[in-house]
């Protein structure tokens, strides 16, 4: 191992110093050969770190230094011929800094606190005004055996487990299955919780969209996408961009932190992927100064989200015709922004136009791959939305098709109960 590291270090040194030998082969000058050597500096540092370990010096500090060099290697984040020193504040120009990303966490907690107050002081009274009430849920019979199974094993027992539970409780299979349905319903969030959650999201998306349009309406790159790359990456940071970015990042981080407490939907995993991909994109675009295109992407997404949450609110309030009309408008805006403008304008802008200014680098590929992940999620949600639109137009749309809806008693059980109630009424009337 030691011999291999010695030869690797010798190779890196020779590749940097022998410009006359390597220059004709690679078409590089002595200056580019030195840049090549600096590009291999993380590997060289790894060699030095291993030697330091062998010589008994501080290995953890050397390893940390190596990881830091790799993480902030300029060729990962910036185009060629651009260094971090070029993005230092000077001459009245201010640039985005990676250290500012620490601001996201306290902003996320502040947003969670504002949400807590909003749902109790604004959304709950609004639910009362709109007549939104939770369904009356049937009581669940007390049974320690079934409760223990529900809490420790599964919420939906297999047929074999149902038979085993029949023997333990002396209940019929139908009675046990009914118990589990009702018990699952008690775990599900009520209609008021869904209304309050949709109210918060609708309010945030509305103000975020209005704020985004206000920040972008007088910018040339909002109308001509080629202007996004004018002078990139040496583009001065605007105060409006800072607040727009960090409020959006704080909001999505707050959604990620509250996923376990929010209404759980069928696309829970996709929501997690979406929030992580969004935060990764925003953080990377902030560090690499992709801020102009980042603000356009955020405004594009907020335009449809506010309509979706508004349609949910109207549907929960039983204003079904108005909700259906808004959902149709939402579907049109979603398909236009996510399946047309986003891939054919925005992603085209990030794939094609940058190459007119600088060669492709790692950050260029990484950013576009993450945008492609978002586009795949858009396609998945477009399928769900199409199913909901079909229900909206040809049947009755109840809530969100992604939500985990309450289960009803089976038709056979309802008929059984109804017949017994009618029999009891006839018996009472006969006396």
């Amino acid at each position: 191992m030691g011999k291999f590291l010695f030869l690797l270090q010798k190779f890196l040194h020779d590749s940097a110093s022998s410009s006359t030998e390597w220059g004709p082969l690679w078409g590089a000058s002595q200056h580019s050969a030195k840049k090549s050597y600096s590009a291999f500096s993380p590997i060289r540092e790894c060699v030095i770190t291993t030697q330091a370990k062998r010589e008994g010096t501080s290995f953890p500090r050397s390893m940390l230094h190596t990881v830091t060099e790799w993480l902030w290697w300029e060729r990962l984040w910036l185009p060629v011929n651009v260094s971090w020193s070029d993005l230092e504040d000077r001459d009245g120009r201010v640039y985005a800094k990676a250290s500012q990303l620490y601001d996201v966490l306290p902003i996320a907690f502040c947003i969670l606190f504002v949400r807590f107050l909003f749902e109790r002081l604004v959304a709950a009274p609004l639910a009362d005004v709109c007549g939104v009430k939770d369904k009356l849920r049937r009581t669940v019979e007390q049974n320690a055996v079934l409760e223990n199974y529900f809490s420790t094993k599964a919420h939906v027992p297999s047929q074999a487990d149902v038979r085993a539970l029949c023997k333990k409780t002396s209940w019929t299979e139908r009675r046990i299955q009914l118990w589990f349905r009702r018990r699952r319903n008690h775990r599900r969030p009520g209609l008021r919780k869904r209304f309050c959650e949709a109210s918060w999201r609708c309010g945030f998306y509305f103000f975020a969209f209005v704020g985004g349009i206000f920040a972008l309406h007088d910018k040339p790159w909002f109308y001509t996408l080629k202007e996004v790359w004018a002078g990139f990456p040496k583009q001065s940071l605007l105060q409006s961009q800072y607040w727009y970015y960090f409020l959006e990042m704080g909001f999505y981080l707050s959604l990620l932190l509250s996923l376990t407490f929010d209404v759980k939907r069928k696309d829970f995993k996709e929501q997690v992927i979406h929030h992580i991909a969004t935060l990764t994109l925003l953080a990377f675009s902030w560090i690499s100064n992709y801020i102009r295109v980042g603000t356009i992407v955020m405004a594009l997404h907020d335009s449809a989200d506010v309509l979706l949450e508004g349609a949910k609110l109207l549907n929960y309030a039983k204003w079904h015709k108005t909700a259906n009309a808004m959902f149709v408008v939402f579907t049109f805006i979603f398909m236009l922004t996510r399946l047309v403008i986003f891939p054919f304008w925005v992603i085209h802008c990030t794939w094609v136009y940058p190459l007119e200014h600088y060669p492709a680098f790692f950050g260029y590929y990484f950013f576009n791959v993450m945008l492609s992940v978002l586009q795949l999620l858009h396609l998945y949600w477009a399928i769900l939305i199409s199913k909901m639109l079909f229900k909206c137009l040809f049947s009755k749309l109840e809530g969100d098709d992604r939500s985990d809806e309450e289960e009803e008693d089976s038709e056979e059980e309802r008929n059984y109960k109804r017949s017994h109630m009618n029999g009891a009424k006839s018996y009472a009337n006969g006396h």
Side-chain angles (χ1 to χ4, degrees):
M1 183 65 183
K3 185 176 180 180
F4 168 75
L5 293 173
F6 173 77
L7 292 174
L8 179 59
Q9 185 179 15
K10 186 174 185 300
F11 164 75
L12 293 175
H13 182 270
D14 291 344
S15 65
S17 58
S18 304
S19 58
T20 54
E21 181 180 351
W22 289 91
L25 180 59
W26 296 102
S29 62
Q30 184 175 0
H31 175 69
S32 63
K34 289 181 179 179
K35 286 187 70 175
S36 173
Y37 178 67
S38 66
F40 280 108
S41 60
I43 301 176
R44 177 176 175 271
E45 183 66 29
C46 185
V47 174
I48 296 173
T49 301
T50 307
Q51 289 178 341
K53 180 183 177 182
R54 191 169 61 243
E55 294 168 4
T57 55
S58 176
F59 175 65
R61 177 180 291 183
S62 300
M63 180 58 71
L64 180 63
H65 182 67
T66 302
V67 172
T68 303
E69 272 205 6
W70 268 108
L71 182 61
W72 298 111
W73 186 23
E74 291 168 347
R75 295 290 70 79
L76 289 179
W77 302 90
L78 303 173
V80 293
N81 300 324
V82 179
S83 65
W84 294 118
S85 60
D86 295 324
L87 300 181
E88 293 178 357
D89 299 347
R90 62 169 66 90
D91 301 328
R93 298 178 67 88
V94 179
Y95 297 99
K97 301 173 183 63
S99 59
Q100 292 170 321
L101 292 176
Y102 290 117
D103 299 346
V104 175
L105 189 59
I107 290 174
F109 283 114
C110 287
I111 288 176
L112 285 173
F113 180 69
V114 172
R115 174 183 174 176
F116 175 82
L117 296 178
F118 178 89
E119 290 187 353
R120 281 152 185 78
L121 302 179
V122 179
L126 183 61
D128 294 332
V129 171
C130 296
V132 178
K133 298 179 181 179
D134 290 332
K135 279 185 178 181
L136 291 176
R137 292 171 174 171
R138 298 180 182 274
T139 57
V140 181
E141 297 180 72
Q142 297 294 325
N143 190 300
V145 174
L146 297 183
E147 186 64 39
N148 180 63
Y149 181 95
F150 186 88
S151 302
T152 60
K153 293 187 178 180
H155 296 164
V156 183
S158 64
Q159 192 60 35
D161 286 343
V162 170
R163 294 193 188 99
L165 291 170
C166 286
K167 295 178 181 178
K168 291 181 179 180
T169 59
S170 300
W171 284 13
T172 63
E173 289 188 18
R174 181 191 299 169
R175 190 178 177 186
I176 287 177
Q177 289 168 349
L178 179 62
W179 187 94
F180 275 96
R181 272 198 294 274
R182 292 181 178 177
R183 184 65 180 84
R184 286 193 295 270
N185 283 340
H186 275 265
R187 291 188 72 257
R188 293 186 173 97
L191 192 62
R192 285 178 66 89
K193 178 174 174 57
R194 297 173 191 231
F195 182 89
C196 292
E197 184 180 309
S199 298
W200 164 248
R201 296 192 185 204
C202 183
F204 180 87
Y205 287 136
F206 174 78
F207 286 107
F209 177 67
V210 171
I213 295 300
F214 179 78
L216 288 167
H217 78 283
D218 59 344
K219 307 300 186 295
W221 55 86
F222 185 59
Y223 305 97
T224 306
L225 289 178
K226 280 194 173 185
E227 291 294 323
V228 165
W229 308 107
F232 177 84
K234 301 175 184 179
Q235 298 168 339
S236 185
L237 176 67
L238 304 176
Q239 191 173 10
S240 60
Q241 292 174 329
Y242 172 87
W243 285 110
Y244 190 29
Y245 246 78
F246 278 81
L247 286 175
E248 287 275 359
M249 280 196 284
F251 176 71
Y252 280 107
L253 181 57
S254 72
L255 291 183
L256 198 60
L257 295 174
S258 64
L259 270 176
T260 54
F261 307 104
D262 290 341
V263 176
K264 192 170 183 179
R265 297 180 170 87
K266 297 173 185 176
D267 61 345
F268 177 82
K269 293 180 180 178
E270 289 79 8
Q271 286 282 342
V272 174
I273 294 172
H274 172 267
H275 297 338
I276 293 175
T278 301
L279 287 169
T280 303
L281 262 174
L282 292 176
F284 179 85
S285 62
W286 181 262
I287 296 172
S288 297
N289 217 14
Y290 277 67
I291 295 173
R292 290 183 180 180
V293 70
T295 54
I296 293 174
V297 171
M298 290 188 293
L300 202 63
H301 282 68
D302 291 339
S303 64
D305 289 338
V306 64
L307 293 172
L308 174 62
E309 301 300 333
K312 286 184 192 177
L313 290 177
L314 294 171
N315 194 64
Y316 294 148
K318 308 298 182 185
W319 298 357
H320 295 302
K321 290 184 178 179
T322 311
N324 291 347
M326 183 172 285
F327 187 77
V328 171
V329 176
F330 157 74
T331 303
F332 173 77
I333 297 297
F334 182 93
M335 299 300 178
L336 177 65
T337 56
R338 310 288 180 93
L339 302 186
V340 179
I341 296 177
F342 186 76
F344 297 109
W345 270 266
V346 177
I347 295 183
H348 178 268
C349 168
T350 59
W351 270 112
V352 177
Y353 298 155
L355 299 181
E356 298 176 2
H357 299 271
Y358 55 80
F361 63 107
F362 172 80
Y364 163 84
Y365 293 113
F366 179 80
F367 188 74
N368 283 288
V369 166
M370 295 304 293
L371 288 179
S372 301
V373 171
L374 275 185
Q375 184 57 34
L376 291 176
L377 291 172
H378 295 164
L379 293 172
Y380 170 79
W381 281 317
I383 295 172
L384 287 181
I385 290 167
S386 300
K387 292 179 180 178
M388 293 172 69
L389 181 64
F390 182 83
K391 287 184 180 181
C392 172
L393 296 177
F394 301 105
S395 61
K396 189 177 180 181
L397 179 63
E398 294 289 347
D400 187 351
D401 214 36
R402 302 172 299 151
S403 298
D404 188 13
E405 300 292 345
E406 292 192 15
E407 299 170 88
E408 300 288 347
D409 295 346
S410 68
E411 188 66 31
E412 182 183 353
E413 288 159 350
R414 285 197 296 268
N415 292 337
Y416 176 79
K417 292 172 190 171
R418 193 179 298 117
S419 65
H420 275 258
M421 289 175 64
N422 291 338
K425 287 179 181 178
S426 300
Y427 180 77
N429 292 335
H431 282 74

